[in-house]
Amino acid sequence: MRKPDANGIRPPQDVKGGDVRAFLESLTGPSRGNVIWLVDNALTVSVSENRALSLRLKDDNPPHDNDVAALQWAGDGYSITAFSGNKIWVNGRLVSSERLGHGDMIEFGEKGPMTRYRICNHLFPTHHTVEDILSDAYAYARSSRRPFAKRMSGALRDSGRRLASQTTILFRITVLAALFLIAGLVYLLYQNDQRLAESIDEESRKIEAVAVMLAQTREDALTPEDLNALRNAFENQIISTEQRLGTLEQRAGAPTRVITASTRSVAFIQGAYGLRHIESGKLLRHVLGPNGEKLQTPFGQPWIEPDGTGEPAEFQFTGTGFLLEGIPLIVTNRHVALPWTSADREKALKAAGLEAEMLNLLAYLPGEAEPIEATLVRYSETADLALLSVDANRVQGLGLPLSDAAPRAGEEVYLLGYPTGLKALIAQAGPGFLQTLEKEGTLNFWSIASRLSFEGKIQPLASRGIVARTSPGSVVYDAETTTGGSGGPALNRRGEVVAINAAILPEFGGSNIGVPVSGLVALLGEVEGQ
């Protein structure tokens, strides 16, 4: 066996199996973290001026000034006795002599150091259990007489150090693996939060896009409030905006020939488009409740999702178009044939990751009981114009001729169209028609138009105006119209199309802007060149 170490205690390497009785672990002071093995029967404990703890065999040397206590083996454990003039605390209690138990906290003197006493059950402890380490930290925090903040920081610091250095390799590997796992979970949670934030942002953009589309739909679709207003107008015999438009010959004595010859070629356009989610490729559909009802968002908008189980969400619109003479094509505005491209709608759709798709596009002609399906052929990149193809067999003998020259300022023009859409048509049909619809319960965007057509009540409204200005890109005139009249023909006295109505300028006394017929001729040239 090797000689005792500087403390007078045999090193653990020299201790034979069964010789180790207990140990002291310093928790504070310069000796913090050091373990002193207790092997011999009688030991003297010394504390230096810098609070370093040391032990030696009791009979090896004469007493020192720094000696504070004696440890004596008593069969199954050690007893500690304070030397005269020294103070010792065991588990926070001042004692002069005490039989030590496993786990006791010993504090030597007013300023420490503090140690933890453990019995080894005659086995050499190469590692400490987590329970022991945490128990030490708790006992230290509870029994130490140091300030609370220092007690807690010391307990946390020492328990962390001991967990990292005095536990088994397997435990440390397990802890590292757990830390890596926690770090991985934190990263996954962060990624999930990012995706959730992006999803919320995308959802908000989608809601914004849908709101923009619904704003236009509300202008064209019938609402219960619109029908109530029409009913009240009929009951009170009030002449509504739609009725005041009247036909041209009733209001201004315009040539009956032009109106009569042109009316059957002016189409009422009715359509609806949906929104497709680009990433999933799915159309947005209504989300249904448990009873099959269409649900709404907290903002009062329809709740529509790519994975909705209801019908595709429809964004409805109406407009005006006219047939070309000798060609089975309907002319209208680009913003009528592609309503999602006007204003800020296209930008809102792109930001929301959506694209519009036409679901249904119909053209109703005066005198025809059934609508004609229409398909977009081409639209102009520079002018507000679009061409729709229709069944040639359904439009034989119809169509308007085009003027060879632009109108001059001061010339009269006659504007045909369907301003305010279905509202004006119901107003023209009279109170009896509205009562029939209400009785049958067919107050539906599609069914109303179908019933109007079947009963021969689809007729364009006409108004007269004077050309104020003509330029290569526009014709400005004051013929009266409103929303829904876009795409209608502006005719000269010979019944030739001189412009295609495109926009209203209410700030200029109700003036309207039309696309010159030269723009239409250029677009037709593009189609022929295909």
Side-chain angles (χ1 to χ4, degrees):
M1 181 178 295
R2 293 169 54 191
K3 293 181 180 180
D5 62 10
N7 290 326
I9 308 302
R10 296 182 182 89
Q13 297 90 333
D14 294 334
V15 178
K16 303 300 181 182
D19 288 343
V20 175
R21 292 168 172 170
F23 66 88
L24 292 177
E25 181 177 13
S26 296
L27 302 180
T28 61
S31 304
R32 180 189 296 117
N34 291 343
V35 172
I36 302 176
W37 306 104
L38 307 182
V39 177
D40 297 283
N41 291 331
L43 300 165
T44 299
V45 182
S46 299
V47 177
S48 66
E49 293 182 358
N50 65 350
R51 297 169 56 225
L53 182 70
S54 63
L55 275 74
R56 71 178 189 278
L57 295 176
K58 186 174 182 182
D59 298 330
D60 281 356
N61 295 294
H64 296 169
D65 293 338
N66 295 330
D67 292 345
V68 295
L71 287 170
Q72 183 69 44
W73 179 255
D76 58 352
Y78 283 93
S79 295
I80 188 168
T81 302
F83 290 155
S84 177
N86 293 280
K87 294 181 179 180
I88 295 175
W89 285 265
V90 176
N91 297 326
R93 182 169 54 87
L94 182 65
V95 299
S96 58
S97 182
E98 182 79 6
R99 175 90 172 198
L100 297 177
H102 181 71
D104 283 349
M105 300 291 295
I106 308 169
E107 194 169 4
F108 298 95
E110 292 285 352
K111 298 182 178 180
M114 180 176 283
T115 64
R116 186 73 180 264
Y117 169 80
R118 288 195 182 277
I119 296 174
C120 297
N121 295 326
H122 302 284
L123 296 175
F124 182 74
T126 57
H127 300 98
H128 297 290
T129 65
V130 175
E131 180 183 1
D132 285 345
I133 293 173
L134 295 180
S135 175
D136 287 349
Y138 172 72
Y140 168 74
R142 183 187 63 182
S143 58
S144 174
R145 294 176 298 108
R146 302 176 72 192
F148 177 78
K150 291 187 176 181
R151 266 186 289 160
M152 296 307 298
S153 63
L156 292 173
R157 181 180 63 250
D158 287 341
S159 59
R161 174 186 57 79
R162 295 182 63 194
L163 286 170
S165 62
Q166 298 179 3
T167 51
T168 64
I169 297 296
L170 178 61
F171 174 79
R172 286 178 242 178
I173 292 175
T174 303
V175 170
L176 286 175
L179 290 175
F180 279 119
L181 178 61
I182 292 172
L185 290 175
V186 169
Y187 177 75
L188 289 176
L189 287 173
Y190 171 76
Q191 292 290 87
N192 187 61
D193 286 345
Q194 290 293 103
R195 286 193 292 269
L196 181 61
E198 291 173 1
S199 176
I200 293 173
D201 187 49
E202 180 181 351
E203 189 67 20
S204 66
R205 290 197 299 268
K206 185 184 74 177
I207 292 173
E208 180 183 355
V210 170
V212 170
M213 302 302 151
L214 286 174
Q216 175 61 31
T217 296
R218 292 191 186 100
E219 294 180 6
D220 297 319
L222 279 172
T223 64
E225 291 76 13
D226 295 328
L227 295 173
N228 287 333
L230 285 169
R231 187 188 307 106
N232 293 334
F234 288 138
E235 291 174 355
N236 299 321
Q237 295 184 342
I238 296 175
I239 299 177
S240 66
T241 301
E242 292 81 5
Q243 290 171 308
R244 284 201 306 271
L245 289 171
T247 59
L248 187 58
E249 53 268 39
Q250 291 174 331
R251 293 187 71 251
T256 302
R257 178 187 57 79
V258 172
I259 303 303
T260 303
S262 305
T263 292
R264 291 190 60 225
S265 297
V266 180
F268 173 64
I269 295 176
Q270 183 184 38
Y273 61 92
L275 300 178
R276 189 174 294 278
H277 188 241
I278 297 174
E279 184 176 349
S280 67
K282 297 178 181 179
L283 277 173
L284 297 188
R285 294 177 177 271
H286 287 279
V287 176
L288 303 181
N291 299 320
E293 72 277 15
K294 295 177 180 178
L295 299 181
Q296 290 188 328
T297 68
F299 306 101
Q301 304 289 8
W303 186 359
I304 56 178
E305 295 288 347
D307 296 321
T309 56
E311 297 176 349
E314 283 190 354
F315 300 87
Q316 301 159 347
F317 62 93
T318 61
T320 302
F322 61 91
L323 283 164
L324 287 172
E325 186 178 52
I327 310 174
L329 292 176
I330 290 179
V331 179
T332 188
N333 292 138
R334 182 181 61 222
H335 78 261
V336 172
L338 301 168
W340 56 84
T341 61
S342 58
D344 56 351
R345 297 173 212 164
E346 194 166 25
K347 181 179 179 182
L349 286 177
K350 185 177 181 181
L354 302 171
E355 61 182 4
E357 180 177 311
M358 189 68 70
L359 300 178
N360 202 9
L361 186 59
L362 303 176
Y364 289 90
L365 292 171
E368 297 287 335
E370 298 294 331
I372 306 172
E373 290 188 4
T375 305
L376 178 66
V377 173
R378 195 172 184 87
Y379 62 89
S380 173
E381 297 285 355
T382 56
D384 190 6
L385 292 174
L387 297 174
L388 310 176
S389 67
V390 292
D391 185 354
N393 295 324
R394 298 285 305 275
V395 296
Q396 291 183 2
L398 300 176
L400 301 179
L402 303 181
S403 174
D404 294 331
R408 293 176 298 179
E411 286 188 11
E412 279 191 335
V413 291
Y414 313 114
L415 189 61
L416 297 177
Y418 298 89
T420 69
L422 289 175
K423 291 175 240 180
L425 293 174
I426 294 175
Q428 291 180 88
F433 180 79
L434 179 58
Q435 291 171 4
T436 301
L437 291 179
E438 291 178 322
K439 183 177 180 181
E440 295 178 353
T442 54
L443 297 174
N444 169 296
F445 179 73
W446 301 104
S447 62
I448 290 176
S450 178
R451 185 63 177 266
L452 285 165
S453 181
F454 181 77
E455 295 190 11
K457 297 184 181 296
I458 289 185
Q459 295 286 329
L461 295 173
S463 59
R464 180 181 66 174
I466 303 297
V467 175
R469 180 171 58 86
T470 300
S471 70
S474 64
V475 177
V476 180
Y477 42 84
D478 61 357
E480 189 175 5
T481 188
T482 185
T483 303
S486 295
L491 307 171
N492 59 21
R493 285 182 170 272
R494 296 184 296 277
E496 298 170 335
V497 178
V498 295
I500 299 87
N501 194 51
I504 306 167
L505 297 174
E507 63 272 25
F508 292 104
S511 295
N512 298 290
I513 293 179
V515 179
V517 72
S518 57
L520 175 55
V521 172
L523 182 59
L524 289 170
E526 294 178 13
V527 174
E528 292 174 358
Q530 287 182 336

